Amino acid sequence: MSFFLFAAEPQGLLDFFLTWAQINRTMWTALFSFYRRAQSGRKIACPALQEWRELVLEDRREFYCFSVLEGQRDLLRHDSRPIQIQDLGAGSRKSAPKRVSDLARRSLSPSWQAQFLFRLINFHQPNTILELGTSLGISALYQHAAKRSAQMISIEGCPEIHAIAQKNARLFGASASLQLWQGSFAELLPSALKQLGQLDYAFIDGHHLRQPTLDYFEACLPYLGPNALLVFDDIYWSEEMQSAWEELKAHPKVSYSIDLGWAGCLFLGPRPQGWPQQLELVPFWAKPWS
């Protein structure tokens, strides 16, 4: 679920208006509370933060892969093939989609979010990448494209969705460094972590419940590199996810965090001088007076 004020650019408005009616009162309250607290960060005297804002949060450049991947997204949104969903987990409050197009419109990370993830990896340059929640593969390909040489494993639970993601990876021309695994997170995560060895970056986007979210974090901890970055999607999805986020950002291994509203970033490396330990951040256009 995405909230328009925290998109990387105003194109997220359409996604917001299409989904606004589905947001429950708990999420409404939490997101508006977040927005009241959040700032653009422009007034913080920290060169490292200003560089991160300019090159990750607010960069408007069109990178080489954006048009190709948005073309693939458009094909999926018009794909009328029937699809059988094995398990939606805790990631949906609606009935299972019957066609690929329904799933693409409902479950794919919007373009502004996927492009944010591309810029995030392009900036931090991790050598190993983990994604929990491949869906149809668009976000995985955005992250893979940001550093094609990085060893990346993305895990999807549903066999039919996984098969479509594999086809999308072939169409995109993904390198052998990207592996798409099919199975449950709990069963495959230990093997994925062992294969990656050291984990530099993870995007956790699935199974939106408090305890599984905390369990995935704890499983990753022994493998995290000295400058690891973990991104948790939908941190305001429910009271359980809000509770999980509060615990995660307060963990003693976490050096500092950024709450973006739609997702939360945890940093394990040394905190730059002047960078707040816990920061709630929105793009300048969303709150220009802050």
Side-chain angles (χ1 to χ4, degrees):
M1 189 72 67
S2 302
F3 191 64
F4 82 101
L5 289 171
F6 320 121
E9 52 190 50
Q11 70 187 51
L13 282 168
L14 178 60
D15 292 311
F16 162 73
F17 283 119
L18 290 175
T19 57
W20 177 254
Q22 303 164 25
I23 304 177
N24 62 26
R25 183 173 297 179
T26 299
M27 189 184 292
W28 277 38
T29 302
L31 286 171
F32 277 118
S33 178
F34 161 81
Y35 180 68
R36 287 196 300 270
R37 299 189 306 268
Q39 57 181 302
S40 71
R42 292 202 176 192
K43 298 179 181 178
I44 298 176
C46 174
L49 174 60
Q50 298 311 319
E51 182 183 24
W52 194 91
R53 284 184 50 262
E54 292 171 8
L55 297 180
V56 178
L57 185 63
E58 298 184 359
D59 194 348
R60 297 293 189 270
R61 289 176 293 172
E62 287 286 325
F63 287 84
Y64 71 98
C65 64
F66 288 7
S67 61
V68 175
L69 289 172
E70 288 310 306
Q72 288 191 232
R73 180 198 301 275
D74 191 57
L75 289 175
L76 291 168
R77 290 170 69 95
H78 291 87
D79 189 337
S80 60
R81 286 178 296 166
I83 188 170
Q84 182 67 40
I85 304 298
Q86 179 174 305
D87 182 15
L88 285 177
S92 177
R93 295 188 178 95
K94 301 184 292 184
S95 59
K98 301 296 190 296
R99 298 177 300 176
V100 173
S101 57
D102 298 331
L103 182 66
R105 292 188 177 97
R106 189 181 302 181
S107 301
L108 285 179
S109 299
S111 58
W112 59 263
Q113 177 178 321
Q115 290 166 16
F116 170 87
L117 296 173
F118 174 96
R119 294 192 300 269
L120 192 65
I121 290 178
N122 190 49
F123 183 85
H124 289 281
Q125 290 291 297
N127 291 316
T128 54
I129 299 171
L130 172 69
E131 180 184 53
L132 298 186
T134 313
S135 186
L136 298 172
I138 297 300
S139 65
L141 291 173
Y142 264 105
Q143 292 169 95
H144 169 63
K147 190 173 183 183
R148 295 175 70 98
S149 63
Q151 294 299 309
M152 178 176 178
I153 296 175
S154 181
I155 302 175
E156 169 58 44
C158 176
E160 288 199 28
I161 295 176
H162 172 259
I164 296 172
Q166 285 188 311
K167 180 179 178 180
N168 286 330
R170 289 193 297 269
L171 288 172
F172 181 70
S175 70
S177 62
L178 171 62
Q179 298 181 35
L180 303 181
W181 292 11
Q182 190 275 311
S184 73
F185 297 166
E187 292 176 356
L188 295 183
L189 180 56
S191 297
L193 291 169
K194 288 180 182 178
Q195 179 166 315
L196 291 172
Q198 176 175 291
L199 182 60
D200 297 327
Y201 167 94
F203 178 49
I204 313 299
D205 181 22
H207 208 166
H208 296 88
L209 296 172
R210 174 184 171 277
Q211 195 55 53
T213 299
L214 297 176
D215 289 344
Y216 301 145
F217 175 76
E218 291 293 337
C220 290
L221 268 180
Y223 296 88
L224 294 178
N227 295 297
L229 166 60
L230 292 88
V231 182
F232 289 83
D233 196 20
D234 293 323
I235 58 174
Y236 288 96
W237 174 264
S238 64
E239 289 185 350
E240 283 202 32
M241 286 302 295
Q242 293 167 38
S243 174
W245 172 244
E246 291 300 317
E247 290 191 48
L248 289 170
K249 68 182 182 181
H251 194 280
K253 294 287 187 179
V254 174
S255 300
Y256 56 110
S257 65
I258 298 179
D259 182 342
L260 299 168
W262 63 273
C265 301
L266 303 178
F267 299 84
L268 271 71
R271 178 162 54 99
Q273 185 175 4
W275 194 311
Q277 185 171 9
Q278 296 182 358
L279 179 62
E280 291 162 310
L281 197 64
V282 293
F284 179 72
W285 69 264
K287 205 170 181 180
W289 60 89
S290 66

